[in-house]
Amino acid sequence: MVEQIWEIGRAMFLFLSFWGYIFVAVRFGKIKGWFAPIVCMSGIALILFWAGLFNCLTVAADLILTGGIAGFSIFLILCIQGKTGHLKWNPAEFCFGVGAAAFILLSLNLRLIHYDNFSHWAVIVKYLLSAGKLPGADITLIPFRDYPPGSSMFIYYVCRYAGHSQGMMLLAQNSMILACFLAVFGIVKEKRRFLLYSFLGMGCSVLSYLNLTIRMNNLLVDFLLPLLTMASVAVSYRCRTDRRKFCIMQITLLGFTAIVKSTGGFFAGVAGVYALWELFRSEKRSERIKEKTGGKLFCAATIICGAALPPLAWQYHLDTQLAGFKGKFEGGFHVGRELYGQVTENFLKTALDLSGRAAQMFFLCIVLAAAAILYARFKLRKRWRLELILPAGIVMTVLYYAGMLYMYLHSMPEEEAVRLAGFERYACSVIVLFAGVLIMGATVDLEHSFAVDIDMRGAYRAFSSPGAKRRYQYAVLGTVILGANFLYSEFNGLRSIQETYETSLPGQAEQIMGDRWYENGVPDKGKYLVIASDEDGQVSSGEVRYVCRYFLWAPDVEVTDRLSESELAEAGKKYDHIFILDETSPSGSR
């Protein structure tokens, strides 16, 4: 009981600490409330990243928590003095809050399914929580030690104080995702036009269609990366006029994005290019250009250096602390030249196959965006930003696909390259960004296309005619219904997956083996043999081995799908424990 109370108390302190940082960022840093959560989360992750490199991770985490509590204390003092003002919620903020609360509560009951969690994304978090430091070259339990630990640092911070359960890990990850969506909503300037929020919300909820391969019930970052990029784009659009604040926010967001995954550099680069474009565009008075250009150049150089420093530091860490370690994409793998044509042909066919979600959304977005551009040009007599965003997005997507093809040809084992392992997940990641920036651009264009501006006399004069108001209301109703339908589908999909967890491979393994944690991250030295069927290639692909290594927290785990009675008797002398992990066999261990 005492331990449970202490755990609840630590979780409450964590929540109050976040409250303190967000309050300080908004009140004293003058950061818009839409952007403050993701900026604070990224900042915390970056500080812990640097602390991990200097081997003072636990001390830094405690200091960060203390700093947030100090910020909350300032909030309390100002509350007592009556200087905080009243919290005001507009309908859009209320709707977002309700939806976010639903997914947060759901996250606490979710469990990890995708096996990549057990090969790296969850296992690195488990090690950080157990050992309180980054893994060294000798930690063989973590095979992909070269992966940047960006998001893992934030998950570590949350779980250090709020509990080590899988649900809490997912809550931390999904909090970053929701914070990114909140930042995307920050592009709207006219808060009294609910259609802007409902249209943007509908578009963001449609992205869940692409997220079926990288759902919110895992710690994979393929969905987080494009959302971080979209959050940075929103910051660039709204905050570019305040250079000091703009620099700090972009350094934080871009630096964090770059260390979330090895491909984070691409997404940070896309967001960085747009940030620089927003920084240098729009000087109409020529006599002021020279005066402002010097400051802008300094700001641009600061953003570039600040964003590049974390990934460069991580590469230096790999070259020194993990010298000689060959990562997944650095092991000298490559496809034989005789297979270049086959892999390229398979890649192009898969990329253009309309049965794939990525291809479907890519071509659908092009058609809808082109139709919107033509409608605006000939019907509304306006030129929308989509005219620039659409070709830029296509170029971005083509470059990303070219990088994927290069990876398959030169960095992947031949067997994985031939079957294009992970293609749908990688492709959906960039298509989320492609669709997302088009939705954001369309929202901004829509905001600037109303015939009547809302003036100080109020929203009742916001429409040119009763017919225009009626069409506006129908549009709000339609976008709300579509958005709610997609979110409800995603919510139910996650619940359905969770209900079948016990019959999944991780569910069966956890029931038999438990979820073992050891102090200081020291792994179990025992030798284990796991017998399982090779259904869906779960043994031959290594999935069973990764899952069992995670739950046993032991590197010496062998897996087989065939074992005769005589071999089983012999194995009993060689291994410390033998687990039978097969739905067709009685579950048990010996």
Side-chain angles (χ1 to χ4, degrees):
M1 177 63 72
V2 175
E3 185 177 346
Q4 290 179 342
I5 294 175
W6 174 237
E7 185 172 315
I8 293 173
R10 288 188 302 174
M12 183 60 66
F13 275 114
L14 178 69
F15 174 77
L16 297 180
S17 178
F18 277 124
W19 185 291
Y21 278 119
I22 293 173
F23 173 77
V24 170
V26 173
R27 179 65 179 264
F28 301 103
K30 304 301 179 182
I31 296 176
K32 298 181 186 299
W34 300 98
F35 307 132
I38 190 58
V39 170
C40 291
M41 291 176 181
S42 300
I44 289 171
L46 276 176
I47 293 172
L48 292 174
F49 168 76
W50 287 107
L53 294 181
F54 288 98
N55 202 26
C56 54
L57 185 58
T58 57
V59 174
D62 292 339
L63 289 176
I64 291 172
L65 182 71
T66 304
I69 295 298
F72 182 76
S73 301
I74 296 173
F75 167 76
L76 283 181
I77 293 172
L78 293 178
C79 273
I80 295 172
Q81 296 176 348
K83 296 181 180 180
T84 57
H86 299 289
L87 185 63
K88 298 179 180 179
W89 290 70
N90 65 29
E93 293 167 335
F94 176 79
C95 292
F96 184 90
V98 170
F103 277 96
I104 285 174
L105 293 175
L106 177 63
S107 297
L108 286 172
N109 295 315
L110 292 176
R111 310 299 290 273
L112 301 173
I113 298 291
H114 198 289
Y115 85 90
D116 275 2
N117 292 294
F118 305 103
S119 64
H120 174 75
W121 300 110
V123 75
I124 182 65
V125 173
K126 191 171 184 177
Y127 180 81
L128 291 172
L129 290 169
S130 301
K133 60 182 180 180
L134 290 171
D138 58 327
I139 308 300
T140 58
L141 187 58
I142 304 175
F144 306 126
R145 300 186 287 283
D146 58 320
Y147 279 25
S151 59
S152 301
M153 289 298 183
F154 181 77
I155 298 170
Y156 155 80
Y157 176 70
V158 172
C159 293
R160 174 173 169 80
Y161 303 105
H164 296 180
S165 68
Q166 294 181 18
M168 191 56 65
M169 294 180 189
L170 290 168
L171 173 63
Q173 172 98 337
N174 292 337
S175 295
M176 287 188 284
I177 290 175
L178 292 172
C180 288
F181 277 123
L182 182 65
V184 169
F185 278 79
I187 66 170
V188 176
K189 295 180 179 179
E190 182 47 80
K191 296 183 178 181
R192 290 171 291 184
R193 297 279 191 188
F194 187 77
L195 176 61
L196 300 174
Y197 291 110
S198 64
F199 176 80
L200 186 58
M202 177 197 67
C204 289
S205 64
V206 170
L207 298 180
S208 64
Y209 177 75
L210 291 168
N211 195 36
L212 293 181
T213 56
I214 39 178
R215 303 191 82 140
M216 294 172 66
N217 62 335
N218 63 74
L219 301 181
L220 279 67
V221 296
D222 302 83
F223 192 52
L224 178 62
L225 278 172
L227 295 183
L228 283 168
T229 308
M230 291 165 60
S232 173
V233 167
V235 168
S236 298
Y237 175 71
R238 289 298 305 273
C239 304
R240 65 183 180 82
T241 55
D242 188 337
R243 287 203 295 270
R244 180 180 300 177
K245 183 167 59 179
F246 180 78
C247 282
I248 294 174
M249 294 173 71
Q250 289 296 1
I251 287 173
T252 303
L253 289 173
L254 298 179
F256 175 61
T257 303
I259 58 169
V260 167
K261 193 179 181 182
S262 55
T263 56
F266 175 85
F267 290 92
V270 170
V273 168
Y274 179 75
L276 297 179
W277 183 80
E278 281 285 0
L279 182 66
F280 283 100
R281 78 174 182 88
S282 79
E283 283 300 335
K284 296 181 180 179
R285 300 178 63 180
S286 58
E287 64 271 14
R288 297 178 59 187
I289 293 179
K290 184 175 181 180
E291 175 188 352
K292 289 182 176 291
T293 298
K296 289 185 176 183
L297 286 174
F298 177 77
C299 180
T302 303
I303 291 174
I304 293 172
C305 294
L309 197 56
L312 290 176
W314 179 249
Q315 186 58 51
Y316 178 78
H317 173 76
L318 296 181
D319 294 339
T320 54
Q321 302 300 316
L322 298 180
F325 174 75
K326 295 296 183 181
K328 180 177 180 180
F329 299 106
E330 298 177 354
F333 299 119
H334 60 84
V335 175
R337 291 187 178 275
E338 67 278 2
L339 293 176
Y340 275 19
Q342 179 184 342
V343 173
T344 302
E345 182 180 359
N346 291 342
F347 181 88
L348 294 177
K349 285 183 178 179
T350 305
L352 299 175
D353 184 3
L354 290 180
S355 64
R357 295 181 183 274
Q360 291 173 5
M361 186 62 74
F362 180 68
F363 289 112
L364 179 62
C365 285
I366 291 177
V367 171
L368 293 178
I373 291 169
L374 294 175
Y375 177 81
R377 174 68 69 89
F378 296 106
K379 181 67 175 179
L380 302 179
R381 305 295 180 183
K382 293 179 178 289
R383 298 194 63 174
W384 279 8
R385 286 172 175 245
L386 281 179
E387 294 186 25
L388 296 176
I389 297 174
L390 179 58
I394 293 174
V395 171
M396 172 198 71
T397 306
V398 170
L399 290 176
Y400 183 89
Y401 270 73
M404 285 176 57
L405 178 58
Y406 181 87
M407 176 186 69
Y408 283 118
L409 292 176
H410 299 286
S411 300
M412 273 199 172
E414 188 173 283
E415 183 271 332
E416 292 187 19
V418 170
R419 61 183 176 88
L420 300 180
F423 178 90
E424 189 73 7
R425 177 154 51 92
Y426 300 144
C428 283
S429 186
V430 74
I431 299 301
V432 166
L433 178 57
F434 175 69
V437 295
L438 289 179
I439 293 164
M440 294 170 70
T443 302
V444 173
D445 287 333
L446 181 62
E447 184 176 24
H448 295 155
S449 298
F450 288 100
V452 178
D453 293 329
I454 300 179
D455 56 24
M456 298 301 294
R457 290 172 293 180
Y460 72 96
R461 292 183 177 270
F463 304 98
S464 58
S465 66
K469 182 176 181 179
R470 186 167 53 253
R471 290 190 295 272
Y472 177 92
Q473 292 171 333
Y474 287 150
V476 169
L477 180 62
T479 52
V480 168
I481 291 175
L482 284 174
N485 181 67
F486 275 103
L487 291 179
Y488 183 71
S489 176
E490 175 72 6
F491 189 88
N492 277 345
L494 291 172
R495 286 185 59 188
S496 176
I497 292 173
Q498 181 56 30
E499 290 173 356
T500 61
Y501 173 76
E502 292 186 358
T503 61
S504 67
L505 172 60
Q508 294 180 65
E510 186 176 10
Q511 289 179 55
I512 298 173
M513 305 170 185
D515 189 0
R516 308 184 185 187
W517 292 72
Y518 297 97
E519 291 186 8
N520 301 320
V522 178
D524 187 344
K525 302 298 184 182
K527 300 181 67 176
Y528 295 90
L529 175 66
V530 178
I531 305 171
S533 67
D534 197 21
E535 182 181 0
D536 298 325
Q538 62 179 11
V539 171
S540 55
S541 67
E543 181 177 359
V544 173
R545 185 167 184 264
Y546 282 134
V547 170
C548 294
R549 278 161 55 104
Y550 174 85
F551 285 115
L552 292 170
W553 201 243
D556 197 350
V557 176
E558 298 295 331
V559 181
T560 182
D561 61 336
R562 298 183 184 90
L563 205 65
S564 64
E565 290 293 334
S566 59
E567 290 173 329
L568 181 61
E570 186 66 26
K573 304 175 183 178
K574 181 179 179 182
Y575 297 94
D576 297 316
H577 299 277
I578 299 175
F579 290 97
I580 301 174
L581 189 63
D582 190 345
E583 292 183 2
T584 61
S585 302
S587 297
S589 65
R590 44 175 302 191

